[in-house]
C-alpha cells in the first residue's frame, strides 16, 4: 500500500498542475496496486527494463483507451492482441514473462475507467501517463528496497534459479496455448459484452481476463474461476449495499476504496475469492463515485460477471487446453533436474551447491503451486460421502416421483480420486526430498572436503543421481536406460575418527532421498490413465 499511496499523491499533483481529468488518477492507482506485488519478483535488471517497458505500456494504454471509445472495433482488437502478446512472450524466459506482466498492468487499467469518462483531446495525457508510470517504478523500487533491508520482504531468487528448462519437444509451448486461450476469451467477451450491455461491457471482459490470467492448466482455471466468480459476486453485492450511502465524488468513498485495497493486498495470500471480492467491491465503489447507481446496475454486473467467468473457463478448456497432468509432469521433471544437479555438483564449490539447492527448492515450490487445484478438489466431498448425509437419505426416502434414482455409484470415484493421489503424492515426496537436501547442504557446508573424498558417499551420490535420471525418463514415458557397471566407485573404504558419525548421517540422508525417488518411480511408472483435467 505504500506504493499505492505514493503514486496516488503524485497522480493528484499531476492532475492538478497539468489540468488532467480524474481518470488519469484512477489508472495510476490501478497500475500501482498491481505493481507493488510485481516488483517483489524483480531484480536489478528487471527494474531497469521496467523503467522503459512500463512507461511505454502506460502511454500506449492511454492512446488505446481513446481508440476504444472512438473506434470500438479497432480498439478491442488492439487490446486483445496486446494482452495475448504479453502472455506469448513468456516462451522466451522468465525475464520476458515479467516484462509481459508489466505490459498488462496499464491494459487492465483501461477496463477499470467507466465508459462515461470521455477522453481528453491531444497527447498531453499520454505523456503524463508515461511520466507517472516511471515515477511509480522509481517509488516502488524505493519502497521495495526499504522492505528488503528491514526484512519485511524476502529477496527474489536469481534469474538462473527461476529459469525454466528448455523445451525440446515438438508440441506447442504452454505460453502460446495460454495466449490463444486469452485471445479467444477476450474476443468472445468483447462481442457478447458489447452486444448485451453496450454501456457496461467492461464487466464481462474484465471477468474473462481475471479468470484466464495466470491459469496454468484446466484444473487451475476451473478452481480459480469458481473462486474468483464467487468472490466477485459477493464483492459486488456488498458494495452495492454500501456504496449508495456515499454518493458521487464523495471523499468518504475514496477512503473506503483505499481501505478495501489494503484488505485485498493482505487477503490475496489466503485465497483468490477474497482478492476477487475486494477488487470487485473497489470497482463498484469507484463506479458509484463516478455517479453510476449501484442498485440499478446490480443485476447487470452480476450477469456480466457470470458470462465472463463462463467464457474464461470455456476458452481454457476448449481452446488448446493445457492438461493438469502434463503440467504436473513438467514441474516434477524440473524439480528433479535441480535435485540431480545438486547430486552431481562439486560439493567443494559452495556457489554451485547453493545454486543447485535453490533450483530444487524453487522447482518444488512451483510444483506445489501447480498441484494446488488438486488439493482443492481432493478436499471436496465425494459422491459416496454425499450419499451418506442424513438430509439426502431423507430426501431419497420421500415418495416423490422426482427422486427415484439411486445415489451416484461410487465405482466411478477411484478414477477421479487417483488423479488427486497422483498429484499430491508427487509433491509430498519431493517436499520430503527437500527437507533431506537442506540437511545435506548443511553437512556439505561444514565438511565439504571430507565428504567429497569419501568413496562411499561419492558412490551413493552417483547412484541417487542415476535414479533421478531414471525417474525423469519415467515421467516422460521414455524407456529406462540400460544399467551401466563401473560408473560408480567400488571402494568400500570407511571413514574413521570424529567425522564418521557425520558421514553415516549423510549416507542415511541419501538413502532417504532414494526411497522417495523409488516412490516417484513407482508412481509415474504404474500411474493410471493420464488424469483429466
Amino acid at each position: 500500500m505504500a506504493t499505492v499511496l505514493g503514486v496516488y499523491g503524485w497522480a493528484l499533483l499531476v492532475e492538478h498542475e497539468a489540468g488532467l481529468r480524474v481518470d488519469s488518477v484512477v489508472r495510476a492507482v490501478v497500475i500501482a496496486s498491481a505493481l507493488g506485488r510485481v516488483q517483489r519478483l524483480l531484480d536489478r535488471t528487471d527494474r531497469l527494463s521496467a523503467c522503459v517497458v512500463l512507461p511505454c505500456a502506460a502511454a500506449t494504454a492511454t492512446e488505446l483507451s481513446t481508440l476504444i471509445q472512438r473506434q470500438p472495433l479497432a480498439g478491442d482488437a488492439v487490446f486483445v492482441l496486446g494482452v495475448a502478446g504479453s502472455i506469448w512472450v513468456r516462451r522466451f524466459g522468465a525475464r520476458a514473462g515479467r516484462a509481459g506482466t508489466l505490459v498488462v498492468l496499464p491494459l487492465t487499467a483501461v477496463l477499470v475507467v467507466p465508459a462515461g469518462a470521455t477522453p481528453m483531446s491531444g497527447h498531453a495525457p499520454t505523456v503524463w501517463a508515461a511520466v507517472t508510470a516511471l515515477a511509480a517504478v522509481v517509488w516502488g523500487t524505493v519502497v521495495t528496497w526499504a522492505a528488503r533491508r528491514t526484512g519485511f520482504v524476502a529477496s527474489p531468487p536469481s534469474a538462473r534459479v527461476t529459469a525454466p528448462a528448455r523445451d525440446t519437444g515438438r508440441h506447442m509451448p504452454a505460453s502460446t496455448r495460454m495466449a490463444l486461450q486469452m485471445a479467444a476469451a477476450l474476443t468472445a467477451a468483447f462481442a457478447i459484452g458489447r452486444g448485451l450491455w453496450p454501456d457496461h461491457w467492461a464487466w464481462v471482459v474484465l471477468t474473462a481476463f481475471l479468470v484466464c490470467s495466470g491459469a496454468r492448466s484446466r484444473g487451475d482455471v476451473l478452481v480459480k474461476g469458481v473462486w474468483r466468480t464467487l468472490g466477485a459476486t459477493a464483492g459486488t453485492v456488498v458494495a452495492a449495499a454500501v456504496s449508495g450511502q456515499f454518493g458521487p465524488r464523495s471523499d468518504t468513498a475514496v477512503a473506503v476504496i483505499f481501505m478495501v485495497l489494503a484488505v485485498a493486498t493482505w487477503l490475496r495470500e489466503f485465497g483468490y475469492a477474497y482478492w476477487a471480492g475486494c477488487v470487485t467491491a473497489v470497482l463498484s465503489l469507484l463506479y458509484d463515485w463516478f455517479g453510476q447507481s449501484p442498485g440499478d446496475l446490480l443485476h447487470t454486473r452480476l450477469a456480466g460477471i457470470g458470462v465472463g467467468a463462463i467464457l474464461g473457463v470455456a476458452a481454457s478448456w476448449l481452446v488448446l487446453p493445457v492438461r493438469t497432468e502434463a503440467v504436473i509432469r513438467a514441474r516434477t521433471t524440473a524439480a528433479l533436474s535441480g535435485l540431480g544437479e545438486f547430486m552431481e555438483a562439486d560439493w567443494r564449490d559452495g556457489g554451485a551447491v547453493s545454486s543447485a539447492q535453490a533450483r530444487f527448492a524453487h522447482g518444488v515450490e512451483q510444483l506445489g503451486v501447480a498441484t494446488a487445484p488438486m488439493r482443492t478438489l481432493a478436499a471436496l466431498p465425494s459422491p459416496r460421502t454425499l450419499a451418506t448425509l442424513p438430509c439426502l437419505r431423507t430426501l431419497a426416502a420421500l415418495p416423490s416421483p422426482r427422486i427415484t434414482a439411486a445415489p451416484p455409484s461410487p465405482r466411478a470415484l477411484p478414477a477421479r480420486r487417483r488423479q488427486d493421489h497422483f498429484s499430491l503424492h508427487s509433491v509430498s515426496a519431493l517436499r520430503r526430498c527437500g527437507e533431506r537436501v537442506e540437511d545435506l547442504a548443511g553437512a556439505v557446508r561444514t565438511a565439504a572436503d571430507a565428504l567429497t573424498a569419501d568413496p562411499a558417499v561419492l558412490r551413493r551420490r552417483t547412484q541417487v543421481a542415476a535414479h533421478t535420471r531414471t525417474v525423469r525418463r519415467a515421467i516422460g514415458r521414455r524407456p529406462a536406460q540400460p544399467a551401466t557397471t563401473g560408473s560408480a566407485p567400488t571402494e568400500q573404504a570407511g571413514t574413521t575418527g570424529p567425522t564418521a558419525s557425520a558421514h553415516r548421517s549423510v549416507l542415511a540422508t541419501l538413502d532417504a532421498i532414494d526411497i522417495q525417488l523409488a516412490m516417484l518411480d513407482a508412481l509415474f511408472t504404474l500411474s493410471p490413465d493420464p488424469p483429466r483435467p
Side-chain angles (χ1 to χ4, degrees):
M1 282 303 298
T3 302
V4 175
L5 294 176
V7 174
Y8 174 66
W10 168 263
L12 285 178
L13 178 63
V14 169
E15 180 204 12
H16 181 267
E17 297 296 331
L20 303 180
R21 294 179 179 175
V22 70
D23 58 326
S24 63
V25 179
V26 174
R27 291 194 185 95
V29 171
V30 172
I31 293 173
S33 62
L35 181 63
R37 180 179 177 88
V38 173
Q39 281 201 322
R40 298 180 186 179
L41 306 177
L42 304 182
D43 56 17
R44 183 176 302 176
T45 303
D46 292 327
R47 295 184 188 281
L48 292 176
S49 64
C51 292
V52 177
V53 173
L54 190 60
C56 292
T60 303
T62 303
E63 295 292 335
L64 176 60
S65 179
T66 303
L67 180 63
I68 287 178
Q69 297 195 30
R70 293 178 178 175
Q71 301 182 22
L73 185 60
D76 296 350
V78 173
F79 183 91
V80 172
L81 291 176
V83 175
S86 67
I87 299 174
W88 178 77
V89 298
R90 296 176 186 175
R91 62 181 302 168
F92 299 109
R95 203 175 297 282
R98 289 191 286 269
T101 302
L102 293 174
V103 171
V104 171
L105 303 185
L107 295 178
T108 307
V110 172
L111 302 176
V112 173
V113 179
T118 57
M120 293 182 61
S121 59
H123 298 285
T126 301
V127 176
W128 282 113
V131 173
T132 301
L134 180 60
V137 174
V138 174
W139 175 243
T141 300
V142 173
V143 172
T144 304
W145 175 83
R148 289 178 181 172
R149 291 297 297 263
T150 57
F152 188 74
V153 175
S155 299
S158 64
R160 184 180 183 278
V161 170
T162 59
R166 185 177 298 274
D167 189 2
T168 59
R170 298 181 180 179
H171 57 275
M172 183 179 295
S175 59
T176 303
R177 296 188 181 193
M178 294 170 64
L180 293 175
Q181 292 168 3
M182 179 66 77
L186 292 180
T187 301
F190 271 114
I192 296 177
R194 289 191 180 278
L196 297 180
W197 305 286
D199 296 330
H200 307 286
W201 52 266
W203 285 91
V204 184
V205 179
L206 183 60
T207 304
F209 169 78
L210 291 176
V211 170
C212 277
S213 61
R216 301 170 182 84
S217 63
R218 291 191 299 185
D220 192 38
V221 73
L222 178 61
V223 173
K224 287 183 178 179
V226 171
W227 282 120
R228 288 173 175 173
T229 303
L230 293 177
T233 301
T236 301
V237 173
V238 173
V242 176
S243 59
Q245 304 177 7
F246 304 126
R249 310 287 172 171
S250 171
D251 293 336
T252 305
V254 175
V256 173
I257 286 174
F258 280 104
M259 291 175 59
V260 177
L261 278 178
V263 174
T265 304
W266 173 56
L267 291 180
R268 183 166 184 170
E269 303 295 334
F270 298 95
Y272 299 105
Y274 306 117
W275 175 77
C278 291
V279 170
T280 311
V282 166
L283 293 180
S284 298
L285 292 169
L286 177 63
Y287 284 16
D288 179 50
W289 189 90
F290 274 100
Q292 294 184 1
S293 175
D296 298 339
L297 297 177
L298 177 60
H299 294 88
T300 300
R301 293 174 181 176
L302 293 178
I305 290 172
V307 172
I310 293 174
L311 292 177
V313 173
S316 299
W317 273 67
L318 302 178
V319 180
L320 299 173
V322 180
R323 291 169 49 190
T324 306
E325 184 258 353
V327 174
I328 293 174
R329 285 180 178 270
R331 295 289 176 87
T332 305
T333 300
L336 289 175
S337 177
L339 178 60
E341 180 181 344
F342 179 85
M343 293 299 168
E344 296 173 351
D346 184 0
W347 282 6
R348 292 168 296 188
D349 185 352
V353 171
S354 299
S355 177
Q357 181 187 5
R359 280 182 61 84
F360 176 60
H362 178 73
V364 175
E365 179 184 0
Q366 293 301 306
L367 177 61
V369 173
T371 56
M374 297 299 100
R375 292 196 296 271
T376 302
L377 295 176
L380 297 177
S382 65
R384 185 176 184 178
T385 303
L386 291 176
T388 61
L389 294 178
C391 58
L392 294 185
R393 289 203 306 266
T394 303
L395 288 175
L398 293 177
S400 173
R402 295 184 179 181
I403 310 179
T404 57
S409 173
R411 297 195 176 188
L413 177 64
R416 176 62 61 185
R417 290 303 175 187
R418 282 198 300 267
Q419 172 184 345
D420 305 332
H421 294 167
F422 174 87
S423 307
L424 303 183
H425 285 184
S426 59
V427 68
S428 298
L430 283 174
R431 282 174 176 168
R432 296 188 192 100
C433 289
E435 298 172 356
R436 301 300 182 180
V437 167
E438 291 182 4
D439 297 338
L440 279 179
V444 168
R445 282 190 290 266
T446 58
D449 293 334
L451 291 174
T452 303
D454 188 344
V457 173
L458 181 59
R459 181 179 65 255
R460 198 70 183 101
R461 283 174 53 195
T462 305
Q463 293 171 349
V464 173
H467 199 176
T468 302
R469 292 191 295 270
T470 301
V471 176
R472 291 175 60 188
R473 294 184 70 86
I475 294 174
R477 298 189 177 97
R478 293 174 294 172
Q481 292 179 335
T484 57
T485 58
S487 59
T490 57
E491 292 85 356
Q492 300 292 332
T495 302
T496 59
T499 61
S501 59
H503 285 225
R504 288 194 295 270
S505 176
V506 168
L507 290 174
T509 303
L510 291 171
D511 290 340
I513 293 176
D514 198 53
I515 291 174
Q516 300 303 321
L517 291 176
M519 181 184 300
L520 287 172
D521 195 3
L523 180 66
F524 286 100
T525 302
L526 302 177
S527 62
D529 294 336
R532 305 174 188 276

